[in-house]
Amino acid sequence: SSDLLLKQYKATRVFIHYGGGSVIRSGLLGRIKGLLDQADISYFELGGVLPNPRSGLVYKGIELCRREGADFVLAVGGGSTIDSAKAIAAGVKYEGDFWDFYIGKATIQDALPIGVVLTIAATGSEASQGAVITQERGMFKRGLSSRYYRPRFSIINPELAYTLPRYHLFAGIADIMSHIFERYLTLTKDVILTDRMSEAVLKSVMEAARIIKDDPTNYEAMATIFWSGTIAHNGLLGVGRQEDWSSHALEHELSALYDVSHGAGLAVIFPAFMEYTIDVDPLRYKRLAVKVFDVPDDGSDARTLGLRGIDNLKSFYRELGLPVTFAELGAKCDDIDKLVEKLRQNRGEVIGSFKRLT
Ligand code: NZQ
Ligand code: ZN
């Protein structure tokens, strides 16, 4: 349990960070505080992290941690809370503006240790080096990777997700799958084991999603979803190959402008990205279609089978109640120029590697 882990990490003054209140309503925060009280570990807290977490609360958290003398950061919640906690943990140890890290003006040299109690499977932030924050000055949504961001521990208990609204649960699944697609769609050849592991995780998470849809407290299925979420983004499925990440870059502009859920944005972007890039490697898309999206290999050409696979992916997202078009997401064609300009400012002239997008 977390009290013992915190003792192992010699935490004496814990900063507890959480979101909009789900952890209060579920009783989880109360349970954690009870354990800390029992273990005689002192703590203070800051809630209010918004989905697509903002810089304002990060500044507030940094100030609070300095004033209160935190020596450990405990994030209780989803990717947004974890990412906000990571930025605070690094910001506390840096005299300048934490945003310097996100614009390449400074590199993280130190951070408070971070622990996680995860309540939604999606971002993999519980085991990743990444943290994505939106700077409110100009609404720039940016990610950063640092070894200091990797949590010391993460408690991944599927039962904590039983209170999760279906939309967030299924958006999380689209995010998990996207973390694998970003790595699977690669020009690197001959990464046999990584390919097969990726296909296994994709198939498992889809199977589990369909079980959960009808049986929301199925422990095995929820455990599979959580475990998949962690494996999808802890680096394992990128071993040996170049990764792409342009779909994430595109999505971050959507969630920065419309404040939509990251996973829902990806459900729109990825099938479109796949159709756009089918000719880069039709055989790879055929493989994905046949091995993961249940397309029978009836002897049609690779491109045709690949496209059928993409159609099946869209149907799967629809089945889960996710948007697959700009309109369904609430995005507007009129905003495309603005979105593209922001993307250029954030990422430069060219993004991606599977197909370089200008
Ligand atoms: O804020 P509360 O009240 O806790 O409610 C949250 C929030 O409204 C709710 N929720 C979470 N667990 C719950 C629950 N409600 C009831 N019961 C539970 N057990 O779910 C909503 C979404 O939470 P959020 O943390 O925003 O979701 P997610 O984990 O999808 O995080 C999204 C953020 O992470 C970034 C995304 O861009 C987005 O900003 N990403 C972070 C990455 C990383 N650090 O490595 C990589 C990803 O690709 C992604 O970009
Ligand atoms: Zn993601």
Side-chain angles (χ1 to χ4, degrees):
S1 63
S2 64
D3 57 339
L4 296 179
L5 280 168
L6 286 167
K7 279 240 147 100
Q8 274 174 39
Y9 287 99
K10 301 193 171 31
T12 62
R13 183 92 178 121
V14 177
F15 168 55
I16 306 176
H17 201 33
Y18 57 93
S22 72
V23 300
I24 299 175
R25 290 190 296 279
S26 68
L28 176 62
L29 186 66
R31 274 161 62 198
I32 290 171
K33 288 183 187 173
L35 288 168
L36 291 177
D37 287 336
Q38 263 174 37
D40 243 339
I41 297 175
S42 82
Y43 56 84
F44 59 98
E45 65 188 72
L46 178 66
V49 181
L50 297 172
N52 303 316
R54 309 276 175 98
S55 54
L57 201 71
V58 173
Y59 292 118
K60 202 165 160 185
I62 292 170
E63 249 182 66
L64 183 67
C65 282
R66 286 192 181 135
R67 198 162 65 232
E68 297 284 339
D71 61 12
F72 199 94
V73 176
L74 185 65
V76 185
S80 297
T81 294
I82 303 168
D83 288 2
S84 181
K86 287 176 175 180
I88 292 170
V92 169
K93 298 279 189 178
Y94 177 66
E95 282 182 8
D97 182 346
F98 90 91
W99 194 247
D100 289 352
F101 301 136
Y102 283 77
I103 54 174
K105 216 176 125 184
T107 312
I108 299 177
Q109 304 289 348
D110 196 10
L112 290 173
I114 302 152
V116 170
V117 182
L118 187 66
T119 62
I120 172 175
T123 65
S125 188
E126 70 277 9
S128 83
Q129 302 197 355
V132 183
I133 301 287
T134 301
Q135 172 56 260
E136 283 158 299
R137 299 188 301 262
M139 296 306 277
F140 289 102
K141 184 170 183 176
R142 287 196 181 185
L144 174 70
S145 182
S146 162
R147 68 188 180 88
Y148 292 100
Y149 274 172
R150 182 103 62 188
R152 300 299 162 95
F153 65 79
S154 285
I155 295 177
I156 302 174
N157 174 359
E159 290 174 347
L160 297 179
Y162 291 167
T163 53
L164 199 55
R166 285 167 88 77
Y167 188 72
H168 291 307
L169 173 65
F170 293 140
I173 285 167
D175 192 20
I176 292 169
M177 293 176 68
S178 302
H179 294 156
I180 305 174
F181 298 146
E182 295 281 16
R183 295 169 165 100
Y184 191 87
L185 298 173
T186 180
L187 298 177
T188 312
K189 299 289 176 208
D190 302 326
V191 195
I192 298 172
L193 179 61
T194 309
D195 273 351
R196 288 192 183 275
M197 287 198 297
S198 302
E199 288 152 5
V201 180
L202 282 167
K203 268 201 97 69
S204 306
V205 80
M206 290 175 80
E207 186 179 327
R210 287 187 163 121
I211 296 171
I212 280 286
K213 200 159 65 75
D214 302 322
D215 183 7
T217 56
N218 185 300
Y219 183 89
E220 284 304 317
M222 194 67 96
T224 298
I225 292 168
F226 267 63
W227 186 213
S228 302
T230 300
I231 293 176
H233 200 36
N234 68 358
L236 184 69
L237 302 184
V239 169
R241 61 189 178 194
Q242 192 173 37
E243 305 178 4
D244 187 73
W245 295 101
S246 50
S247 299
H248 267 69
L250 292 165
E251 193 297 317
H252 283 170
E253 298 311 327
L254 293 176
S255 46
L257 184 64
Y258 303 114
D259 206 14
V260 292
S261 159
H262 169 63
L266 286 167
V268 174
I269 293 285
F270 242 112
F273 175 82
M274 289 174 163
E275 279 167 16
Y276 186 68
T277 57
I278 182 114
D279 292 320
V280 174
D281 191 347
L283 282 171
R284 191 138 197 86
Y285 277 109
K286 170 185 167 182
R287 177 177 169 138
L288 188 63
V290 172
K291 285 190 188 290
V292 177
F293 300 140
D294 298 327
V295 174
D297 186 355
D298 62 2
S300 304
D301 62 279
R303 191 176 194 281
T304 303
L305 293 172
L307 287 171
R308 280 183 203 154
I310 299 167
D311 267 350
N312 283 6
L313 174 64
K314 272 196 216 171
S315 307
F316 173 71
Y317 286 156
R318 284 220 162 91
E319 213 182 296
L320 299 185
L322 292 169
V324 291
T325 66
F326 245 50
E328 286 165 16
L329 192 69
K332 296 185 192 65
C333 286
D334 288 348
D335 289 333
I336 288 179
D337 287 346
K338 194 159 61 180
L339 287 160
V340 169
E341 175 50 25
K342 210 57 173 295
L343 179 63
R344 198 186 58 77
Q345 287 177 34
N346 273 327
R347 309 278 174 154
E349 299 298 335
V350 184
I351 56 170
S353 62
F354 184 60
K355 181 176 174 115
R356 288 156 57 83
L357 306 183
T358 59

